[in-house]
């Protein structure tokens, strides 16, 4: 079986985890700030606040930007459900902006048109979450300019994006956003097992994020309403959660970070080989905008049915039968019953997302994929389908 994505763990990674297990702190020890500072310095951003998942990171990012009841958040329909659910956690509502037919990221043209209409209707979003699909950055500068004109805040969902670049600078530098979120799930670029991080340049946002990840509690006398009652003292000054990451996870992340650039280079090698081999009348490879250097979390192809040829579903089944665990990223969020049952979303409002969903396949892309395995994947994609399998 060849998975579409998987982790790459070295003996150094394992040693880093063992070292924490033998140390005094399994959680809230020194590995967490060390990991946060290392990621922040890699990205060229002031603060990193590590949490137990990107889902938690998206939730507290929305809270730190004061998202609440009656507010509206917009995101891309072609994303993991967490990019939209974070709005619902805060009591806000969600709407979607159709994707660009080439990059599959949120379309800036569709965004601008939707903003013009929303202004007329008095329904402008408070927060926009552009998602860097497959690790390719959205057109952040244009989105940022629109945020100034229409007054919304920006959280980049860069769950796929660590190690990627936009206009030559690292994704996560927050030059065009308030907060950027990374995921460290095992299929992502670097892993902590489960984990995520919020990046920001704003000290007040960073402070609020640290409160929300741990019950809304502070131990800093300067943040308290009065002088501490004694050395035991702490105050709950807000309502938060236990979204903390552990030192075990953070140590793994810190060790993985050392190989991040190598991981992304290797992913580019794999992508180049696929690009060269696969483009055809029926297969479209993922267009790369010249302003971007993708982290290549995913390698997405689009399969168009040709007269007399097989469809996407049959291609998918053929590859799965050959032991290649292809996948589909993603089902448009508004297709899920939880969203569809609200009656708020019309599929016909998102023609590019619909077309994408009818053709997309994610094929294996990860750093432990061997050349032989990649060759096998290419051969299986190109191999004509046996007659008996067509029915
Ligand atoms: C993986 C992912 C998330 C959620 O990440 P977790 O760390 O698993 O919570 C959110 N958004 C996108 C786009 C993702 O791919």
């Amino acid at each position: 079986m060849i998975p579409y994505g998987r982790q790459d763990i070295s003996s150094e990674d394992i040693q880093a985890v063992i070292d924490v297990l033998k140390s005094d702190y399994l959680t809230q020890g020194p590995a967490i700030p060390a990991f946060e500072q290392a990621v922040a310095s890699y990205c060229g951003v002031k603060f990193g606040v590590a949490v137990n998942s990107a889902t938690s990171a998206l939730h507290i990012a929305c809270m730190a930007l004061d998202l609440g009841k009656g507010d509206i958040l917009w995101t891309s329909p072609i994303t993991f459900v967490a990019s939209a659910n974070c709005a619902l956690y805060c009591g806000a509502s969600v709407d979607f902006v159709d994707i660009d037919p080439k990059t599959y990221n949120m379309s800036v043209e569709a965004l601008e048109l939707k903003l013009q209409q929303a202004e007329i209707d008095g329904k402008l979003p408070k927060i926009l979450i552009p998602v860097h699909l497959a690790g390719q950055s959205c057109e952040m500068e244009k989105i940022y300019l629109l945020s100034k004109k229409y007054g919304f805040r920006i959280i980049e969902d860069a769950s796929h994006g660590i190690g990627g670049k936009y206009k030559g600078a690292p994704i996560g530098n927050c030059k065009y956003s308030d907060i950027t979120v990374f995921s460290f799930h095992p299929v992502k670029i670097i892993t902590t097992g489960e984990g995520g991080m919020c990046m920001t340049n704003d000290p007040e946002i960073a402070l609020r994020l640290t409160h929300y990840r741990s019950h809304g509690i502070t131990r800093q006398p300067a943040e308290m309403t009065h002088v501490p009652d004694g050395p035991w003292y702490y105050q709950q000054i807000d309502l938060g959660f236990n979204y903390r990451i552990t030192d075990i996870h953070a140590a793994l992340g810190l060790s993985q970070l050392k190989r991040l650039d190598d991981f992304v280079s290797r992913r580019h090698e794999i992508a180049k080989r696929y690009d060269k081999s696969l483009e055809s009348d029926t297969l479209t490879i993922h267009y790369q905008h010249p302003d971007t250097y993708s982290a290549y979390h995913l390698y997405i192809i689009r399969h168009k049915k040709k007269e007399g040829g097989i469809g996407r579903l049959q291609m998918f089944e053929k590859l799965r039968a050959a032991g290649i665990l292809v996948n589909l990223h993603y089902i448009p969020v508004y297709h899920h019953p939880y969203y569809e049952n609200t009656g708020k979303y019309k599929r016909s409002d998102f023609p590019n997302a619909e077309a994408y969903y009818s053709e997309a396949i994610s094929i294996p892309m990860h750093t432990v994929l061997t050349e032989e395995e990649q060759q096998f994947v290419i051969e299986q994609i190109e191999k004509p389908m046996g007659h008996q399998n067509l029915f």
Side-chain angles (χ1 to χ4, degrees):
M1 293 289 186
I2 306 177
Y4 84 85
R6 71 158 288 159
Q7 69 277 14
D8 181 340
I9 302 294
S10 68
S11 50
E12 273 185 43
D13 293 340
I14 293 168
Q15 193 55 49
V17 171
I18 292 172
D19 290 346
V20 172
L21 290 172
K22 291 178 173 167
S23 77
D24 292 336
Y25 294 98
L26 299 188
T27 190
Q28 292 176 283
I32 296 169
F35 182 42
E36 290 171 335
Q37 279 152 29
V39 175
S41 127
Y42 179 89
C43 295
V45 70
K46 289 197 182 114
F47 306 99
V49 179
V51 287
N52 57 2
S53 72
T55 304
S56 306
L58 287 163
H59 181 193
I60 61 174
C62 287
M63 289 172 70
L65 299 178
D66 295 313
L67 190 72
K69 211 166 174 308
D71 292 331
I72 302 168
L73 178 149
W74 289 0
T75 186
S76 170
I78 300 299
T79 185
F80 185 56
V81 290
S83 321
N85 288 344
C86 56
L88 306 182
Y89 298 156
C90 295
S93 65
V94 182
D95 204 353
F96 302 96
V97 180
D98 202 9
I99 60 166
D100 178 273
K102 284 167 75 184
T103 64
Y104 321 144
N105 280 332
M106 178 184 286
S107 156
V108 176
E109 291 71 34
L111 173 62
E112 188 160 15
L113 285 173
K114 199 175 170 87
L115 286 166
Q116 285 165 0
Q117 189 59 46
E119 189 173 43
I120 294 166
D121 299 341
K123 287 184 176 166
L124 282 169
K126 182 163 191 171
I127 295 179
L128 184 80
I129 303 193
V131 180
H132 304 322
L133 187 74
Q136 176 176 212
S137 178
C138 296
E139 293 179 73
M140 290 312 302
E141 190 171 11
K142 289 185 185 165
I143 292 173
Y144 175 79
L145 291 173
L146 288 171
S147 79
K148 293 296 150 203
K149 182 164 174 198
Y150 291 95
F152 57 86
R153 314 293 292 270
I154 300 173
I155 300 169
E156 295 174 67
D157 184 343
S159 290
H160 305 175
I162 195 167
K165 295 191 178 95
Y166 173 67
K167 297 201 170 199
I171 290 177
N173 68 0
C174 298
K175 184 166 177 201
Y176 302 110
S177 63
D178 298 284
I179 301 170
T180 299
V181 166
F182 292 132
S183 171
F184 306 123
H185 181 277
V187 295
K188 307 289 164 73
I189 310 289
I190 59 169
T191 191
T192 58
E194 297 278 3
M197 201 181 288
C198 291
M199 316 313 295
T200 185
N201 283 311
D202 182 324
E204 199 196 322
I205 289 176
L207 185 63
R208 287 180 66 182
L209 292 168
T210 60
H211 293 159
Y212 293 139
R213 79 170 158 190
S214 194
H215 309 282
I217 282 172
T218 182
R219 290 177 184 278
Q220 302 300 320
E223 290 159 31
M224 293 180 187
T225 52
H226 57 77
V227 174
D229 296 347
W232 63 84
Y233 199 66
Y234 58 85
Q235 277 189 347
Q236 184 188 339
I237 55 174
D238 221 320
L239 185 63
F241 308 90
N242 180 353
Y243 281 171
R244 294 187 306 264
I245 195 168
T246 72
D247 277 53
I248 305 167
H249 297 89
L252 177 56
L254 190 57
S255 178
Q256 287 256 302
L257 188 66
K258 293 185 193 140
R259 287 187 294 152
L260 173 56
D261 288 340
D262 293 341
F263 284 165
V264 175
S265 307
R266 174 72 188 122
R267 286 172 178 274
H268 273 257
E269 268 173 37
I270 295 169
K272 271 209 191 84
R273 188 149 170 231
Y274 276 144
D275 288 351
K276 272 215 300 270
S277 314
L278 292 179
E279 183 141 50
S280 71
D281 305 350
T282 49
L283 293 183
T284 309
I285 62 171
H286 193 171
Y287 168 79
Q288 299 296 302
H289 192 287
D291 287 343
T292 67
Y293 174 78
S294 179
Y296 269 117
H297 162 54
L298 301 171
Y299 192 90
I300 298 166
I301 54 176
R302 284 177 72 160
H303 181 271
K304 281 196 210 313
K305 187 171 163 56
K306 257 208 348 210
E307 189 66 29
I310 63 167
R312 192 272 313 271
L313 179 61
Q314 288 160 315
M315 171 63 85
F316 207 96
E317 286 170 346
K318 176 180 84 164
L319 295 173
R320 282 269 175 111
I324 300 167
L325 297 180
V326 287
N327 218 315
L328 203 169
H329 300 91
Y330 290 93
I331 304 159
V333 175
Y334 55 76
H335 278 216
H336 290 288
Y338 191 83
Y339 283 87
E340 193 160 52
N341 292 344
T342 63
K344 283 187 189 168
Y345 312 104
K346 283 211 306 279
R347 293 186 181 192
S348 56
D349 285 344
F350 311 101
N352 295 335
E354 290 297 309
Y356 171 87
Y357 180 54
S358 69
E359 295 175 353
I361 310 177
S362 303
I363 63 175
M365 166 57 92
H366 53 80
T367 56
V368 294
L369 185 72
T370 65
E371 265 187 47
E372 296 71 46
E373 284 172 332
Q374 188 179 11
Q375 193 53 40
F376 179 73
V377 172
I378 293 167
E379 282 163 16
Q380 292 303 309
I381 291 172
E382 289 171 342
K383 188 171 134 186
M385 193 138 163
H387 234 299
Q388 69 281 13
N389 297 337
L390 277 170
F391 303 98

